[in-house]
């Protein structure tokens, strides 16, 4: 059973940076693909970024591309979401999700990830 724990989050000013961490335990030896999603009041849950653990390839929604970076620590089975140039539109509850497989096709669909961490609040103010 894969368990996913996320940390980081909190409040930040527009233009600043924040890093979220996501550690997965119980992954197979070749790792767990990972995805980041977020929700905010009045909006559906949206995909933010994803990582194919097999290849290390990362994918980003157009709204965060160039500002957010996903990286990993193979030893810790952790991924990090470095969020730069934050805007109030980035506010929301962020979720990290893991797959029981290292590979994800698009790494952007909820159904690709079986294991979800509790959400963590990110609030960006002007």
């Amino acid at each position: 059973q894969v368990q996913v724990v996320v940390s980081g989050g909190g409040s930040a000013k527009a233009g600043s940076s924040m890093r979220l961490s996501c550690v997965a335990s119980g992954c197979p030896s070749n790792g767990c693909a990972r995805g980041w999603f977020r929700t905010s009041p009045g909006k559906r849950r949206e995909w933010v970024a994803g990582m194919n653990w097999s290849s290390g390839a990362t994918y980003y929604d157009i709204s965060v591309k160039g500002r957010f970076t996903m990286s990993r620590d193979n030893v810790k089975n952790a991924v990090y979401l470095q969020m730069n140039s934050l805007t109030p539109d980035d506010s929301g509850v962020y979720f990290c999700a893991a797959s029981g497989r290292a590979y994800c096709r698009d790494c952007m669909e909820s159904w690709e990830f079986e294991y979800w961490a509790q959400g963590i609040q990110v609030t960006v103010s002007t």
Side-chain angles (χ1 to χ4, degrees):
Q1 182 78 1
V2 175
Q3 293 187 318
V4 188
V5 177
V6 65
S7 60
S11 298
K13 288 287 191 182
S16 66
S17 299
M18 184 183 292
R19 190 177 83 156
L20 303 181
S21 301
C22 171
V23 177
S25 58
C27 288
S29 58
N30 56 345
C32 293
R34 227 64 67 85
W36 288 98
F37 297 80
R38 67 186 180 191
T39 62
S40 57
K43 291 185 180 180
R44 297 178 64 180
R45 184 171 63 190
E46 60 178 354
W47 170 74
V48 176
M51 176 182 283
N52 182 327
W53 199 273
S54 289
S55 64
T58 53
Y59 307 91
Y60 302 94
D61 182 76
I62 189 67
S63 65
V64 305
K65 197 169 187 177
R67 300 188 299 120
F68 290 13
T69 302
M70 203 169 167
S71 60
R72 70 181 183 183
D73 182 324
N74 290 345
V75 174
K76 296 180 180 179
N77 243 329
V79 295
Y80 306 98
L81 186 66
Q82 178 66 40
M83 305 184 292
N84 298 332
S85 302
L86 286 164
T87 74
D89 285 343
D90 294 318
S91 297
V93 178
Y94 282 68
F95 298 87
C96 178
S99 168
R101 300 163 299 280
Y103 169 82
C104 52
R105 188 187 68 182
D106 299 313
C107 307
M108 62 184 294
E109 301 292 346
S110 298
W111 58 261
E112 295 186 272
F113 306 99
E114 307 97 298
Y115 309 101
W116 291 71
Q118 276 192 308
I120 194 163
Q121 181 70 45
V122 172
T123 303
V124 183
S125 58
T126 55

